[in-house]
mmCIF file of all heavy atoms in Angstrom:
data_model
loop_
_atom_site.group_PDB
_atom_site.id
_atom_site.type_symbol
_atom_site.label_atom_id
_atom_site.label_comp_id
_atom_site.label_asym_id
_atom_site.label_seq_id
_atom_site.Cartn_x
_atom_site.Cartn_y
_atom_site.Cartn_z
ATOM 1 N N THR A 156 195.555 123.385 171.357
ATOM 2 C CA THR A 156 194.837 123.572 170.209
ATOM 3 C C THR A 156 193.922 124.784 170.369
ATOM 4 O O THR A 156 193.646 125.542 169.344
ATOM 5 C CB THR A 156 194.021 122.253 169.892
ATOM 6 O OG1 THR A 156 194.800 121.173 169.762
ATOM 7 C CG2 THR A 156 193.250 122.364 168.598
ATOM 8 N N GLU A 157 193.197 124.832 171.532
ATOM 9 C CA GLU A 157 192.433 126.073 171.889
ATOM 10 C C GLU A 157 193.278 127.366 171.571
ATOM 11 O O GLU A 157 192.685 128.282 170.863
ATOM 12 C CB GLU A 157 192.037 126.041 173.246
ATOM 13 C CG GLU A 157 190.949 125.067 173.667
ATOM 14 C CD GLU A 157 189.587 125.685 173.407
ATOM 15 O OE1 GLU A 157 189.441 126.623 172.712
ATOM 16 O OE2 GLU A 157 188.646 125.093 173.993
ATOM 17 N N ALA A 158 194.527 127.340 171.997
ATOM 18 C CA ALA A 158 195.357 128.582 171.865
ATOM 19 C C ALA A 158 195.594 128.751 170.373
ATOM 20 O O ALA A 158 195.581 129.991 169.886
ATOM 21 C CB ALA A 158 196.633 128.382 172.644
ATOM 22 N N TYR A 159 195.913 127.689 169.624
ATOM 23 C CA TYR A 159 196.131 127.824 168.311
ATOM 24 C C TYR A 159 194.934 128.367 167.426
ATOM 25 O O TYR A 159 195.095 129.233 166.625
ATOM 26 C CB TYR A 159 196.579 126.442 167.627
ATOM 27 C CG TYR A 159 196.896 126.373 166.167
ATOM 28 C CD1 TYR A 159 197.599 127.500 165.551
ATOM 29 C CD2 TYR A 159 196.808 125.164 165.426
ATOM 30 C CE1 TYR A 159 197.873 127.364 164.147
ATOM 31 C CE2 TYR A 159 197.109 125.032 164.208
ATOM 32 C CZ TYR A 159 197.706 126.080 163.478
ATOM 33 O OH TYR A 159 198.000 126.048 162.194
ATOM 34 N N PHE A 160 193.758 127.856 167.772
ATOM 35 C CA PHE A 160 192.523 128.281 167.042
ATOM 36 C C PHE A 160 192.289 129.729 167.507
ATOM 37 O O PHE A 160 191.877 130.556 166.665
ATOM 38 C CB PHE A 160 191.386 127.377 167.409
ATOM 39 C CG PHE A 160 191.370 126.042 166.599
ATOM 40 C CD1 PHE A 160 192.550 125.680 165.966
ATOM 41 C CD2 PHE A 160 190.233 125.237 166.623
ATOM 42 C CE1 PHE A 160 192.580 124.412 165.258
ATOM 43 C CE2 PHE A 160 190.305 124.029 166.020
ATOM 44 C CZ PHE A 160 191.382 123.690 165.179
ATOM 45 N N ALA A 161 192.504 130.032 168.742
ATOM 46 C CA ALA A 161 192.298 131.504 169.135
ATOM 47 C C ALA A 161 193.216 132.386 168.439
ATOM 48 O O ALA A 161 192.749 133.473 167.951
ATOM 49 C CB ALA A 161 192.486 131.530 170.696
ATOM 50 N N LYS A 162 194.381 132.023 168.173
ATOM 51 C CA LYS A 162 195.321 132.854 167.409
ATOM 52 C C LYS A 162 194.809 133.014 165.907
ATOM 53 O O LYS A 162 194.985 134.134 165.324
ATOM 54 C CB LYS A 162 196.747 132.169 167.380
ATOM 55 C CG LYS A 162 197.849 133.243 167.242
ATOM 56 C CD LYS A 162 199.200 132.574 167.592
ATOM 57 C CE LYS A 162 200.211 132.369 166.464
ATOM 58 N NZ LYS A 162 201.408 131.549 166.752
ATOM 59 N N CYS A 163 194.224 131.921 165.347
ATOM 60 C CA CYS A 163 193.631 132.063 163.982
ATOM 61 C C CYS A 163 192.664 133.138 164.056
ATOM 62 O O CYS A 163 192.463 134.028 163.105
ATOM 63 C CB CYS A 163 193.101 130.712 163.586
ATOM 64 S SG CYS A 163 194.334 129.424 163.212
ATOM 65 N N VAL A 164 191.777 133.008 164.927
ATOM 66 C CA VAL A 164 190.600 134.032 164.968
ATOM 67 C C VAL A 164 191.060 135.393 165.117
ATOM 68 O O VAL A 164 190.715 136.278 164.476
ATOM 69 C CB VAL A 164 189.732 133.594 166.165
ATOM 70 C CG1 VAL A 164 188.586 134.744 166.325
ATOM 71 C CG2 VAL A 164 189.041 132.277 165.986
ATOM 72 N N GLU A 165 192.135 135.492 165.991
ATOM 73 C CA GLU A 165 192.877 136.889 166.191
ATOM 74 C C GLU A 165 193.342 137.403 164.801
ATOM 75 O O GLU A 165 193.114 138.555 164.515
ATOM 76 C CB GLU A 165 193.844 136.742 167.196
ATOM 77 C CG GLU A 165 194.478 138.084 167.625
ATOM 78 C CD GLU A 165 195.793 137.726 168.562
ATOM 79 O OE1 GLU A 165 195.647 136.813 169.365
ATOM 80 O OE2 GLU A 165 196.753 138.328 168.281
ATOM 81 N N LYS A 166 194.090 136.581 164.200
ATOM 82 C CA LYS A 166 194.775 137.089 162.921
ATOM 83 C C LYS A 166 193.853 136.982 161.797
ATOM 84 O O LYS A 166 194.003 137.894 160.818
ATOM 85 C CB LYS A 166 195.974 136.138 162.608
ATOM 86 C CG LYS A 166 197.166 136.394 163.636
ATOM 87 C CD LYS A 166 198.298 135.501 163.341
ATOM 88 C CE LYS A 166 199.215 135.801 162.270
ATOM 89 N NZ LYS A 166 200.406 135.010 162.264
ATOM 90 N N LEU A 167 193.066 136.016 161.528
ATOM 91 C CA LEU A 167 192.252 135.884 160.304
ATOM 92 C C LEU A 167 190.712 136.215 160.475
ATOM 93 O O LEU A 167 190.065 136.476 159.543
ATOM 94 C CB LEU A 167 192.254 134.429 159.838
ATOM 95 C CG LEU A 167 193.635 133.758 159.538
ATOM 96 C CD1 LEU A 167 193.574 132.372 159.220
ATOM 97 C CD2 LEU A 167 194.319 134.565 158.403
ATOM 98 N N GLY A 168 190.376 136.109 161.774
ATOM 99 C CA GLY A 168 188.934 136.364 161.882
ATOM 100 C C GLY A 168 188.148 135.110 162.135
ATOM 101 O O GLY A 168 186.823 135.077 162.315
ATOM 102 N N PHE A 169 188.746 134.008 161.840
ATOM 103 C CA PHE A 169 188.133 132.675 161.910
ATOM 104 C C PHE A 169 189.085 131.555 161.906
ATOM 105 O O PHE A 169 190.281 131.791 161.605
ATOM 106 C CB PHE A 169 187.128 132.504 160.680
ATOM 107 C CG PHE A 169 187.931 132.684 159.273
ATOM 108 C CD1 PHE A 169 188.454 131.568 158.678
ATOM 109 C CD2 PHE A 169 188.069 133.972 158.759
ATOM 110 C CE1 PHE A 169 189.259 131.732 157.529
ATOM 111 C CE2 PHE A 169 188.738 134.098 157.546
ATOM 112 C CZ PHE A 169 189.235 132.972 156.983
ATOM 113 N N VAL A 170 188.616 130.328 162.204
ATOM 114 C CA VAL A 170 189.479 129.140 162.178
ATOM 115 C C VAL A 170 189.341 128.495 160.761
ATOM 116 O O VAL A 170 188.271 128.072 160.348
ATOM 117 C CB VAL A 170 189.150 128.164 163.171
ATOM 118 C CG1 VAL A 170 190.074 127.008 163.161
ATOM 119 C CG2 VAL A 170 189.045 128.809 164.516
ATOM 120 N N PRO A 171 190.415 128.407 159.985
ATOM 121 C CA PRO A 171 190.194 127.795 158.657
ATOM 122 C C PRO A 171 189.642 126.387 158.772
ATOM 123 O O PRO A 171 190.017 125.655 159.567
ATOM 124 C CB PRO A 171 191.662 127.805 158.058
ATOM 125 C CG PRO A 171 192.308 128.941 158.756
ATOM 126 C CD PRO A 171 191.735 129.027 160.157
ATOM 127 N N ASN A 172 188.701 126.179 157.845
ATOM 128 C CA ASN A 172 188.064 124.821 157.953
ATOM 129 C C ASN A 172 189.027 123.650 157.783
ATOM 130 O O ASN A 172 188.702 122.608 158.319
ATOM 131 C CB ASN A 172 186.911 124.716 156.860
ATOM 132 C CG ASN A 172 185.526 125.419 157.413
ATOM 133 O OD1 ASN A 172 185.536 125.670 158.627
ATOM 134 N ND2 ASN A 172 184.764 125.721 156.534
ATOM 135 N N VAL A 173 190.130 123.837 157.166
ATOM 136 C CA VAL A 173 191.062 122.670 157.082
ATOM 137 C C VAL A 173 191.535 122.290 158.383
ATOM 138 O O VAL A 173 191.833 121.120 158.616
ATOM 139 C CB VAL A 173 192.153 122.940 155.974
ATOM 140 C CG1 VAL A 173 193.132 124.073 156.574
ATOM 141 C CG2 VAL A 173 192.959 121.767 155.678
ATOM 142 N N LEU A 174 191.717 123.267 159.276
ATOM 143 C CA LEU A 174 192.091 122.926 160.687
ATOM 144 C C LEU A 174 190.974 122.322 161.413
ATOM 145 O O LEU A 174 191.155 121.305 162.178
ATOM 146 C CB LEU A 174 192.554 124.266 161.363
ATOM 147 C CG LEU A 174 193.885 124.811 160.710
ATOM 148 C CD1 LEU A 174 194.347 126.058 161.408
ATOM 149 C CD2 LEU A 174 194.964 123.844 160.548
ATOM 150 N N ARG A 175 189.783 122.936 161.361
ATOM 151 C CA ARG A 175 188.527 122.394 161.969
ATOM 152 C C ARG A 175 188.346 120.882 161.508
ATOM 153 O O ARG A 175 187.963 120.125 162.347
ATOM 154 C CB ARG A 175 187.329 123.187 161.765
ATOM 155 C CG ARG A 175 187.361 124.576 162.417
ATOM 156 C CD ARG A 175 186.102 125.298 162.060
ATOM 157 N NE ARG A 175 184.963 124.643 162.600
ATOM 158 C CZ ARG A 175 183.843 124.529 161.853
ATOM 159 N NH1 ARG A 175 183.625 125.118 160.617
ATOM 160 N NH2 ARG A 175 182.760 123.947 162.298
ATOM 161 N N ALA A 176 188.564 120.686 160.217
ATOM 162 C CA ALA A 176 188.393 119.306 159.736
ATOM 163 C C ALA A 176 189.357 118.174 160.359
ATOM 164 O O ALA A 176 188.927 117.145 160.584
ATOM 165 C CB ALA A 176 188.587 119.321 158.245
ATOM 166 N N HIS A 177 190.504 118.601 160.662
ATOM 167 C CA HIS A 177 191.529 117.725 161.289
ATOM 168 C C HIS A 177 191.335 117.630 162.774
ATOM 169 O O HIS A 177 191.901 116.744 163.271
ATOM 170 C CB HIS A 177 192.976 118.263 161.002
ATOM 171 C CG HIS A 177 193.538 118.005 159.716
ATOM 172 N ND1 HIS A 177 193.242 118.738 158.583
ATOM 173 C CD2 HIS A 177 194.354 116.929 159.161
ATOM 174 C CE1 HIS A 177 193.902 118.289 157.577
ATOM 175 N NE2 HIS A 177 194.582 117.225 157.921
ATOM 176 N N ALA A 178 190.502 118.383 163.485
ATOM 177 C CA ALA A 178 190.457 118.353 164.809
ATOM 178 C C ALA A 178 189.817 117.218 165.494
ATOM 179 O O ALA A 178 189.699 117.133 166.644
ATOM 180 C CB ALA A 178 189.735 119.835 165.311
ATOM 181 N N PHE A 179 189.449 116.337 164.690
ATOM 182 C CA PHE A 179 188.732 114.995 165.321
ATOM 183 C C PHE A 179 190.028 114.186 165.871
ATOM 184 O O PHE A 179 189.712 113.179 166.589
ATOM 185 C CB PHE A 179 187.966 114.188 164.349
ATOM 186 C CG PHE A 179 188.791 113.582 163.214
ATOM 187 C CD1 PHE A 179 189.359 112.310 163.379
ATOM 188 C CD2 PHE A 179 189.262 114.279 162.114
ATOM 189 C CE1 PHE A 179 190.046 111.667 162.429
ATOM 190 C CE2 PHE A 179 189.902 113.708 161.141
ATOM 191 C CZ PHE A 179 190.435 112.330 161.269
ATOM 192 N N ASP A 180 191.283 114.508 165.429
ATOM 193 C CA ASP A 180 192.297 113.750 165.916
ATOM 194 C C ASP A 180 193.511 114.623 166.052
ATOM 195 O O ASP A 180 194.117 115.146 165.031
ATOM 196 C CB ASP A 180 192.492 112.656 164.915
ATOM 197 C CG ASP A 180 193.883 111.690 165.188
ATOM 198 O OD1 ASP A 180 194.824 112.234 165.671
ATOM 199 O OD2 ASP A 180 193.686 110.552 165.022
ATOM 200 N N ILE A 181 193.888 115.035 167.276
ATOM 201 C CA ILE A 181 194.932 115.969 167.435
ATOM 202 C C ILE A 181 196.327 115.692 166.772
ATOM 203 O O ILE A 181 197.064 116.671 166.379
ATOM 204 C CB ILE A 181 195.066 116.423 168.909
ATOM 205 C CG1 ILE A 181 193.617 116.931 169.474
ATOM 206 C CG2 ILE A 181 196.066 117.579 169.135
ATOM 207 C CD1 ILE A 181 192.953 118.009 168.645
ATOM 208 N N ALA A 182 196.568 114.485 166.837
ATOM 209 C CA ALA A 182 197.943 114.088 166.278
ATOM 210 C C ALA A 182 197.908 114.434 164.755
ATOM 211 O O ALA A 182 198.958 114.900 164.261
ATOM 212 C CB ALA A 182 198.243 112.650 166.517
ATOM 213 N N LYS A 183 196.783 114.140 164.139
ATOM 214 C CA LYS A 183 196.769 114.474 162.611
ATOM 215 C C LYS A 183 196.760 115.941 162.456
ATOM 216 O O LYS A 183 197.382 116.423 161.576
ATOM 217 C CB LYS A 183 195.409 113.807 162.031
ATOM 218 C CG LYS A 183 195.508 112.434 162.045
ATOM 219 C CD LYS A 183 194.214 111.695 161.256
ATOM 220 C CE LYS A 183 194.351 110.264 161.333
ATOM 221 N NZ LYS A 183 195.595 109.554 161.095
ATOM 222 N N LEU A 184 195.997 116.652 163.390
ATOM 223 C CA LEU A 184 196.034 118.138 163.217
ATOM 224 C C LEU A 184 197.395 118.658 163.372
ATOM 225 O O LEU A 184 197.906 119.574 162.545
ATOM 226 C CB LEU A 184 195.115 118.729 164.227
ATOM 227 C CG LEU A 184 195.079 120.252 164.351
ATOM 228 C CD1 LEU A 184 194.625 120.955 163.034
ATOM 229 C CD2 LEU A 184 194.163 120.711 165.541
ATOM 230 N N ASP A 185 198.125 118.139 164.360
ATOM 231 C CA ASP A 185 199.450 118.709 164.643
ATOM 232 C C ASP A 185 200.416 118.487 163.460
ATOM 233 O O ASP A 185 201.313 119.271 163.065
ATOM 234 C CB ASP A 185 199.931 118.155 166.020
ATOM 235 C CG ASP A 185 199.227 118.755 167.097
ATOM 236 O OD1 ASP A 185 198.520 119.660 166.946
ATOM 237 O OD2 ASP A 185 199.474 118.325 168.268
ATOM 238 N N ALA A 186 200.313 117.203 163.020
ATOM 239 C CA ALA A 186 201.408 116.668 161.855
ATOM 240 C C ALA A 186 201.075 117.581 160.604
ATOM 241 O O ALA A 186 201.923 118.149 159.957
ATOM 242 C CB ALA A 186 201.130 115.277 161.595
ATOM 243 N N PHE A 187 199.690 117.757 160.341
ATOM 244 C CA PHE A 187 199.399 118.578 159.152
ATOM 245 C C PHE A 187 199.875 119.942 159.319
ATOM 246 O O PHE A 187 200.473 120.618 158.459
ATOM 247 C CB PHE A 187 197.862 118.531 158.874
ATOM 248 C CG PHE A 187 197.432 119.495 157.803
ATOM 249 C CD1 PHE A 187 197.453 119.018 156.423
ATOM 250 C CD2 PHE A 187 196.981 120.735 158.085
ATOM 251 C CE1 PHE A 187 197.015 119.845 155.441
ATOM 252 C CE2 PHE A 187 196.567 121.535 157.048
ATOM 253 C CZ PHE A 187 196.594 121.102 155.675
ATOM 254 N N ALA A 188 199.581 120.603 160.524
ATOM 255 C CA ALA A 188 199.895 122.022 160.688
ATOM 256 C C ALA A 188 201.388 122.171 160.713
ATOM 257 O O ALA A 188 201.956 123.190 160.297
ATOM 258 C CB ALA A 188 199.221 122.562 162.028
ATOM 259 N N ALA A 189 202.108 121.238 161.351
ATOM 260 C CA ALA A 189 203.616 121.357 161.402
ATOM 261 C C ALA A 189 204.166 121.428 159.866
ATOM 262 O O ALA A 189 205.066 122.240 159.553
ATOM 263 C CB ALA A 189 204.220 120.250 162.128
ATOM 264 N N LEU A 190 203.770 120.449 159.061
ATOM 265 C CA LEU A 190 204.165 120.448 157.684
ATOM 266 C C LEU A 190 203.858 121.734 156.929
ATOM 267 O O LEU A 190 204.607 122.403 156.277
ATOM 268 C CB LEU A 190 203.713 119.248 156.990
ATOM 269 C CG LEU A 190 204.210 118.981 155.599
ATOM 270 C CD1 LEU A 190 205.739 118.908 155.570
ATOM 271 C CD2 LEU A 190 203.644 117.747 155.003
ATOM 272 N N TYR A 191 202.556 122.108 157.043
ATOM 273 C CA TYR A 191 202.028 123.267 156.467
ATOM 274 C C TYR A 191 202.841 124.562 156.780
ATOM 275 O O TYR A 191 203.284 125.388 156.087
ATOM 276 C CB TYR A 191 200.592 123.583 156.740
ATOM 277 C CG TYR A 191 199.983 124.725 156.102
ATOM 278 C CD1 TYR A 191 199.528 124.815 154.858
ATOM 279 C CD2 TYR A 191 200.033 125.964 156.781
ATOM 280 C CE1 TYR A 191 199.051 125.871 154.183
ATOM 281 C CE2 TYR A 191 199.552 127.166 156.180
ATOM 282 C CZ TYR A 191 199.043 127.079 154.895
ATOM 283 O OH TYR A 191 198.525 128.193 154.257
ATOM 284 N N ASN A 192 203.109 124.712 158.151
ATOM 285 C CA ASN A 192 203.716 125.916 158.676
ATOM 286 C C ASN A 192 205.160 125.876 158.172
ATOM 287 O O ASN A 192 205.631 127.033 157.796
ATOM 288 C CB ASN A 192 203.541 126.012 160.164
ATOM 289 C CG ASN A 192 202.169 126.272 160.505
ATOM 290 O OD1 ASN A 192 201.384 127.007 159.753
ATOM 291 N ND2 ASN A 192 201.674 125.968 161.712
ATOM 292 N N ASP A 193 205.883 124.763 158.217
ATOM 293 C CA ASP A 193 207.238 124.741 157.793
ATOM 294 C C ASP A 193 207.273 125.189 156.358
ATOM 295 O O ASP A 193 208.130 126.018 155.937
ATOM 296 C CB ASP A 193 207.871 123.342 157.904
ATOM 297 C CG ASP A 193 209.268 123.295 157.364
ATOM 298 O OD1 ASP A 193 210.154 123.818 157.944
ATOM 299 O OD2 ASP A 193 209.357 122.648 156.222
ATOM 300 N N LEU A 194 206.489 124.614 155.504
ATOM 301 C CA LEU A 194 206.514 124.912 154.070
ATOM 302 C C LEU A 194 206.055 126.264 153.659
ATOM 303 O O LEU A 194 206.754 126.940 152.880
ATOM 304 C CB LEU A 194 205.553 123.901 153.248
ATOM 305 C CG LEU A 194 205.970 122.468 153.236
ATOM 306 C CD1 LEU A 194 204.958 121.635 152.468
ATOM 307 C CD2 LEU A 194 207.242 122.395 152.360
ATOM 308 N N MET A 195 205.015 126.782 154.244
ATOM 309 C CA MET A 195 204.523 128.051 153.778
ATOM 310 C C MET A 195 204.892 129.274 154.533
ATOM 311 O O MET A 195 204.940 130.361 154.058
ATOM 312 C CB MET A 195 202.936 127.974 153.834
ATOM 313 C CG MET A 195 202.348 126.852 152.882
ATOM 314 S SD MET A 195 202.807 126.938 151.147
ATOM 315 C CE MET A 195 201.709 128.329 150.676
ATOM 316 N N LEU A 196 205.396 128.977 155.732
ATOM 317 C CA LEU A 196 205.785 130.155 156.652
ATOM 318 C C LEU A 196 207.255 130.044 157.049
ATOM 319 O O LEU A 196 207.736 131.057 157.567
ATOM 320 C CB LEU A 196 204.918 130.274 157.878
ATOM 321 C CG LEU A 196 203.350 130.278 157.620
ATOM 322 C CD1 LEU A 196 202.470 130.074 158.970
ATOM 323 C CD2 LEU A 196 202.957 131.482 156.867
ATOM 324 N N GLY A 197 207.904 128.948 156.945
ATOM 325 C CA GLY A 197 209.254 128.759 157.401
ATOM 326 C C GLY A 197 210.296 129.540 156.528
ATOM 327 O O GLY A 197 209.933 130.143 155.513
#
Side-chain angles (χ1 to χ4, degrees):
Chain A
T156 307
E157 285 274 18
Y159 181 31
F160 282 14
K162 204 164 114 190
C163 290
V164 172
E165 186 192 317
K166 288 176 80 167
L167 305 170
F169 55 90
V170 182
N172 277 344
V173 69
L174 299 181
R175 292 179 60 223
H177 279 82
F179 72 92
D180 180 320
I181 301 304
K183 291 187 188 306
L184 173 62
D185 289 351
F187 175 85
L190 184 58
Y191 179 86
N192 290 335
D193 175 74
L194 287 173
M195 298 303 282
L196 307 173

